[in-house]
Amino acid sequence: MPSDSTVRQIRSGRSSRTRRSRRAVGAALAAVLAIGLSACAPDPVSESFLNGENTGYVAADGAIVEIPVSERGEPVVFSGVTEEGEKFDSADIAGQVAVVNFWYAGCAPCRLEAADLEALWQDFSDEDVAFVGINTRDQADTAVAFANEYGVTYPSLIDVDTAQAKLAFAKAEATPITATPTTLVLDKQGRVAARIIGPIDGKSILSTLVKDALAEDS
């Protein structure tokens, strides 16, 4: 794990270095998305989260960090079966930057960030970037229903029964994935280059992290 003194921390939309607490990220997310949700059909779980009830949210001390190349661990080798029943292996995305999002359907901030994750997936569709979800609690039918409702088109691995994907990342990072959602950016060698613990704050932070990884030498 990188030391505190060497961790590069990202400000939304810019390359300057900072740290955002989960409370600050959550407050900003709620303020922005409350307007959008008011125009849509009510979502009780999302509304509970916006009201401060944190329904379906496994919290942690939020942080947004970018790990220097010299301090990254080994490439993460992971595999599983998607919600559509298709086999997936990390070898399938070798050489690409990858965004890996840990989520489950009952997680309110997972619902709130779904549109931004999908939008970023579309933004990088012409780049060497892969998006993969890892669903930690649901069976395939629930994950499919979520994808249909929120318009998510990238695949998710159904990890509830085996936890093999989650364990692969925990081993590589030397720390368990304890917060949901958590989003990781893997570099072109499959190493964890950045992490967002808790919900993403719009598109700009994650977009910056992905662009930084793309700009690195292979």
Side-chain angles (χ1 to χ4, degrees), residues 94-107:
Q96 299 182 5
V97 171
V99 174
V100 180
N101 176 254
F102 292 81
W103 70 283
Y104 60 93
C107 161

Side-chain angles (χ1 to χ4, degrees), residues 46-64:
S46 297
E47 287 181 352
S48 294
F49 175 71
L50 292 173
N51 290 332
E53 298 174 19
N54 293 334
T55 301
Y57 176 38
V58 181
D61 182 16
I64 302 164

